[in-house]
Amino acid sequence: MKQLIVNADDLGLTSAVNRGILRAFQDGIVTSASLLVTGSAFEEAVALARQNPELDVGLHLTLVEERAILGHEVLPTLVDETGRFPRTSGEFFRRAFLGRINWDEVEREIAAQIARFQKTGLRLSHLNSHQHLHMFPPVFRIVRRLTRGMDNFWIRNSAGPWRKSPGVPMARWAQQLGLNLTCLSARGWHGPPLPQISDGMYGFEVSGCLTRRALEQILRKIPDGLYELICHPGEDDVATRTRYSHWGYRWSEELEALTAPETRMVLKEQGIALTSFVRAFGRGNTVSS
């Protein structure tokens, strides 16, 4: 049986992204979303989620680029004087490998982001992260420790296909392989209770550029099991495009792909059943060595 969770990342990033995710849920195939509690449109996103209780909502943890909840005085090795994280995952990894990050600070910030989510009163169904840093083994251990004991809770399995898809740049494929290896390493940290994870993830190779053609190609490759498709829908907005121009995301194209009638036809043809983290409880894998 093929089951697919379609998760929209970056809820709370901007108002245009919030609107796009809501449309992709109401009129398209999105079944869950991940809330960026440090985003500029966080409060609006919470209000929208409350108005749409069928939308599965989790935490989109961030340790790069955005502003931390805690300040520089609490996180001197993690943020700059303005309270911002490292600009990229590469910079985060470099500082981590050089021993310049205090992991107690990382744990305090992750705990603060979880607490901010929980204060909304929304049900926390899952956790993932910006640039998939939650799968970096030291971060993964912290996430495991802080979420242990949560009911019906999922952690994103960011591992994707090992085979290169046609048209995917070699550099992006190399990043996918690196992420897969990181996931294997993180899954070596085990101990009860074990978190629930899906069988794998699709969409990394076309992250931010999930066109109708790319989406159809992915749906035709999904095997039996429970998988997650990541996406980034949004409405076309000058402010969002300007502020995050370096991402190169095509939010409106993703929204069009996710809401196209043809997409549902492909799902039906391939025998793929849409589900969410809440509805899939008890059907996923558990992390083991």
Side-chain angles (χ1 to χ4, degrees):
M1 182 178 183
K2 300 178 182 180
Q3 290 186 295
L4 185 65
I5 297 166
V6 183
N7 188 84
D9 287 349
D10 298 328
L11 181 66
L13 184 72
T14 68
S15 291
V17 170
N18 287 348
R19 293 193 299 270
I21 290 176
L22 188 61
R23 281 186 54 198
F25 167 67
Q26 294 177 335
D27 304 328
I29 66 170
V30 163
T31 60
S32 67
S34 303
L35 180 62
L36 185 71
V37 299
T38 61
S40 62
F42 163 69
E43 296 292 348
E44 177 190 79
V46 171
L48 291 173
R50 288 171 177 162
Q51 294 166 17
N52 295 270
E54 293 302 311
L55 177 63
D56 205 355
V57 183
L59 173 63
H60 194 56
L61 177 70
T62 183
L63 296 171
V64 292
E65 192 164 0
E66 299 295 327
R67 192 181 300 277
I69 291 179
L70 305 178
H72 180 261
E73 65 281 358
V74 182
L75 311 172
T77 73
L78 190 58
V79 301
D80 62 19
E81 290 76 8
T82 68
R84 288 199 172 274
F85 294 117
R87 286 190 57 81
T88 66
S89 58
E91 172 63 16
F92 181 92
F93 291 143
R94 187 184 69 84
R95 288 165 57 178
F97 290 136
L98 291 174
R100 295 178 180 173
I101 289 181
N102 184 319
W103 295 108
D104 289 338
E105 295 177 19
V106 175
E107 181 158 354
R108 284 194 285 271
E109 174 62 23
I110 293 176
Q113 292 187 31
I114 292 173
R116 177 172 287 185
F117 185 104
Q118 291 175 325
K119 286 180 181 178
T120 67
L122 298 172
R123 188 191 185 289
L124 177 59
S125 67
H126 63 278
L127 180 147
N128 52 53
S129 62
H130 189 45
Q131 299 187 24
H132 305 278
L133 284 182
H134 71 287
M135 296 306 297
F136 184 43
V139 178
F140 188 75
R141 279 192 293 176
I142 292 171
V143 168
R144 293 274 322 274
R145 185 161 56 247
L146 291 175
T147 59
R148 192 165 281 151
M150 290 186 179
D151 293 331
N152 192 358
F153 180 78
W154 296 72
I155 295 176
R156 170 177 287 169
N157 176 14
S158 298
W162 291 91
R163 187 187 297 266
K164 181 181 178 297
S165 299
V168 174
M170 286 295 296
R172 191 61 174 173
W173 180 58
Q175 290 177 334
Q176 176 70 79
L177 295 182
L179 181 57
N180 288 355
L181 291 171
T182 299
C183 291
L184 288 176
S185 178
R187 290 173 67 169
W189 300 104
H190 60 94
L194 302 175
Q196 288 205 120
I197 62 171
S198 69
D199 294 313
M201 182 188 80
Y202 284 85
F204 176 82
E205 294 178 335
V206 291
S207 186
C209 305
L210 187 67
T211 62
R212 281 177 59 182
R213 179 181 178 184
L215 177 55
E216 181 176 338
Q217 289 176 343
I218 289 173
L219 295 179
R220 294 189 183 280
K221 291 188 301 183
I222 291 177
D224 287 346
L226 175 64
Y227 289 87
E228 179 184 3
L229 171 66
I230 61 171
C231 59
H232 302 83
E235 293 187 351
D236 193 24
D237 172 74
V238 174
T240 302
R241 280 190 280 111
T242 300
R243 182 175 177 185
Y244 296 100
S245 60
H246 56 292
W247 289 9
Y249 279 15
R250 290 145 61 178
W251 287 281
S252 59
E253 286 188 49
E254 292 213 10
L255 176 59
E256 193 275 334
L258 293 162
T259 56
E262 294 82 357
T263 299
R264 286 196 178 273
M265 291 176 60
V266 176
L267 286 170
K268 185 176 181 180
E269 290 171 3
Q270 297 299 309
I272 299 173
L274 295 177
T275 188
S276 66
F277 291 103
V278 170
R279 296 201 301 272
F281 178 61
R283 301 180 186 178
N285 290 323
T286 54
V287 172
S288 61
S289 58

